[in-house]
Amino acid sequence: MLDIEKIKQEAKDALAKIASNEEAQELFRKYLGKNGEVARAFALLKDMAVEERQTVGREVNELKKEIEALLAEKKELLKKELKRLETMGDEIDITRPGIKPVMGHLHPLTLVQRQVAEIFQSMGFEIAQGPEMETEWYNFDALNMPKDHPVREMQDTFWLKGESKMLMRTQTSAVQVHYMEKHTPPLRIIAPGRIFRNEAIDATHECQFYQVEGLMVDKNICAANFKAIIEEFLEKFFQTDVDIRLRPSFFPFTEPSFEIDAKRKGGKWLELMGAGMVNQNVFEAASYPRDKYRGFAFGVGLDRLAMIKYGINEIRLFYQNDLRFLKQF
Ligand code: FA5
C-alpha cells in the first residue's frame, strides 16, 4: 500500500528537526537515495494498471520534487547559520576607538601642597607631621599660649568631649614642639596639614582648612634668613606678578612677629601667613636650653596660597566637590 501523504508528512517532520549537514545527507538518502522512499514508490508503479500508474506516477513525482525543494531550502538555512557562527567573533571591531576611562586628577589643594613641599625640599627642609587631634599642651601651652590668656581667644577651638582636654588642632604650629622634642638643631622642617577652627565662614575663611608650618632653628638664625627663604619660596611658587607686603604683628610663640599679605595685580590684599622669630619660651617647652638657639617659624594658609596663585576668590569652592571647578586644574 502506498501512502504518499504519510511519506510527505514524515519527511517534513524529519526535516524540521535536522540541525547539521550530516543529518540532511541522511535524510536525502532515506527519501531520495537509490533505495529511498521515493525510489521504492516508483518501483511499485510497474505493477499498477496504466491509468492508476499515470495518476500515482504524477503524485510520486510531485513528492520527489517537494522533498528536493524542502531539502535544498534547509541546506541553505544551515549554510547561513554556519556562516553566522563562524563570523560571530568578527563583530568585535578591534579598530574601533575605545571608550576612554575618565581619569581623575589631584585636587588643587593637593597640587599646591606638593608644589610647596617641593620648593622647600629643594632648600633643604624636611617634611614633618603631627596629629590632627591634639593635646592642649602642644596646641597652646607649649606655644606660650597659657590657659585663660586672652590670646587663646584668637582661635575659637573645637574641644573634644571627655576629661583629657583634647582638641582638634587650631594651627600647624602644634607640630613645632612635637618635632623639637625628638630632634636637636640645626633643623629645617615644614609641616603641612589640616586644621580646625570654629570660624564664621565667608569667602576667605573656612572652619577646616590647611596650613603649612615652617620651622628653622640653629645657633645664628635671624630675621634676614627668614626673609631670604620666604622670598625665594614666594617667587618660585607664584612665578607670576604677585605683590607681597610684610607687616608687624603679634603671636605669643614668636618675637618679633610678622604677617605677610599677597595680592595679584588689580586684586585685593589677602593675608597669607603669620611668622616670626621663635620665642625662647617655646624652646624651653621643647627642653632646649634658653638662649642657646635662635630660629624662625611661619604658618602659611595653603588655601590662601592656592587662591592667589589661581585667582580664586571663594575658599568654599575647594570643599564643595563641584567638578566644574575641580576640572580646571
Ligand atoms: C597662625 O595660625 C599661626 N600659627 C601662624 C604662625 C606660625 C605665626 C608660626 C608665627 C609663627 P593665623 O591664625 O594668622 O596664624 O593663620 C595663619 C594663616 O592661615 C593665615 O595667614 C591665613 O593664610 C590662614 N588662615 C587663617 N585662618 C583661616 C581660615 N579661617 N580659613 C582659611 N585660611 C585661614
Side-chain angles (χ1 to χ4, degrees):
M1 189 47 207
L2 181 62
D3 189 343
I4 291 178
E5 274 313 307
K6 191 169 164 234
I7 299 175
K8 199 194 282 181
Q9 196 52 49
E10 276 173 3
K12 276 187 176 171
D13 290 348
L15 261 163
K17 288 196 197 112
I18 61 174
S20 69
N21 275 330
E22 287 80 72
E23 286 174 287
Q25 230 25 64
E26 180 79 13
L27 214 83
F28 180 86
R29 242 174 282 137
K30 183 168 177 201
Y31 289 95
L32 305 173
K34 234 195 299 172
N35 301 312
E37 298 283 350
V38 173
R40 247 197 316 235
F42 275 128
L44 290 175
L45 290 179
K46 67 179 186 315
D47 299 330
M48 292 179 186
V50 181
E51 244 169 78
E52 194 190 5
R53 194 189 302 163
Q54 276 179 349
T55 341
V56 180
R58 213 178 300 124
E59 282 173 5
V60 177
N61 246 327
E62 268 165 28
L63 172 70
K64 184 179 172 221
K65 277 190 199 144
E66 196 164 342
I67 296 179
E68 277 172 350
L70 283 170
L71 249 174
E73 195 184 321
K74 188 76 188 183
K75 278 186 174 165
E76 196 56 36
L77 269 175
L78 283 171
K79 218 159 90 185
K80 277 191 189 151
E81 176 65 7
L82 201 68
K83 189 148 186 155
R84 190 185 74 81
L85 289 173
E86 273 174 6
T87 56
M88 207 151 76
D90 297 350
E91 282 164 21
I92 298 167
D93 178 0
I94 57 163
T95 62
R96 259 178 75 177
I99 300 165
K100 218 172 155 190
V102 182
M103 288 280 280
H105 59 82
L106 295 177
H107 189 278
L109 291 179
T110 310
L111 277 177
V112 166
Q113 185 177 315
R114 289 191 181 186
Q115 290 162 10
V116 172
E118 204 173 299
I119 296 169
F120 277 105
Q121 280 174 313
S122 78
M123 295 192 281
F125 283 71
E126 273 177 46
I127 308 222
Q129 277 192 321
E132 288 179 354
M133 194 173 96
E134 236 340 327
T135 60
E136 192 180 12
W137 165 256
Y138 287 108
N139 195 81
F140 290 130
D141 301 86
L143 293 169
N144 202 27
M145 295 172 89
K147 262 186 210 59
D148 304 321
H149 194 288
V151 76
R152 279 207 190 180
E153 301 302 314
M154 280 166 38
Q155 298 171 4
D156 199 348
T157 309
F158 291 117
W159 293 96
L160 299 175
K161 284 187 181 148
E163 295 291 299
S164 53
K165 277 249 159 179
M166 297 292 285
L167 52 96
M168 299 311 291
R169 66 174 177 195
T170 60
Q171 50 188 350
T172 46
S173 300
V175 180
Q176 286 186 21
V177 172
H178 274 300
Y179 189 86
M180 288 194 284
E181 280 174 340
K182 296 197 184 73
H183 300 83
T184 26
L187 58 89
R188 253 184 277 191
I189 56 158
I190 58 162
R194 190 153 53 139
I195 66 162
F196 308 82
R197 289 183 198 177
N198 186 17
E199 293 265 24
I201 296 170
D202 62 24
T204 54
H205 293 83
E206 258 293 352
C207 58
Q208 285 183 51
F209 57 100
Y210 289 82
Q211 286 186 338
V212 181
E213 192 76 5
L215 178 68
M216 181 169 181
V217 183
D218 203 344
K219 291 213 169 93
N220 297 306
I221 301 294
C222 65
N225 297 121
F226 167 70
K227 196 161 171 273
I229 286 204
I230 223 64
E231 270 173 7
E232 169 100 3
F233 162 66
L234 293 173
E235 199 182 306
K236 281 192 172 155
F237 178 76
F238 286 122
Q239 286 181 349
T240 49
D241 251 351
V242 170
D243 290 332
I244 303 289
R245 76 179 179 197
L246 197 136
R247 318 178 258 117
S249 183
F250 171 77
F251 296 99
F253 34 94
T254 47
E255 177 63 40
S257 305
F258 331 103
E259 259 166 356
I260 291 183
D261 306 329
K263 109 175 146 77
R264 287 169 78 93
K265 289 272 171 277
K268 280 198 234 159
W269 286 108
L270 192 60
E271 186 196 309
L272 206 56
M273 70 176 89
M277 301 307 294
V278 180
N279 190 308
Q280 289 298 321
N281 289 351
V282 178
F283 287 145
E284 206 168 68
S287 304
Y288 288 176
R290 252 195 123 76
D291 296 324
K292 181 168 180 189
Y293 299 114
R294 287 162 59 79
F296 67 75
F298 61 87
V300 57
L302 198 73
D303 311 64
R304 301 271 180 93
L305 278 175
M307 287 170 81
I308 293 169
K309 177 150 184 166
Y310 298 120
I312 298 161
N313 53 14
E314 174 56 79
I315 194 170
R316 285 166 284 198
L317 286 169
F318 291 128
Y319 302 97
Q320 283 168 347
N321 262 344
D322 187 336
L323 286 178
R324 290 169 302 177
F325 171 71
L326 295 173
K327 274 183 177 164
Q328 297 176 44
F329 298 91

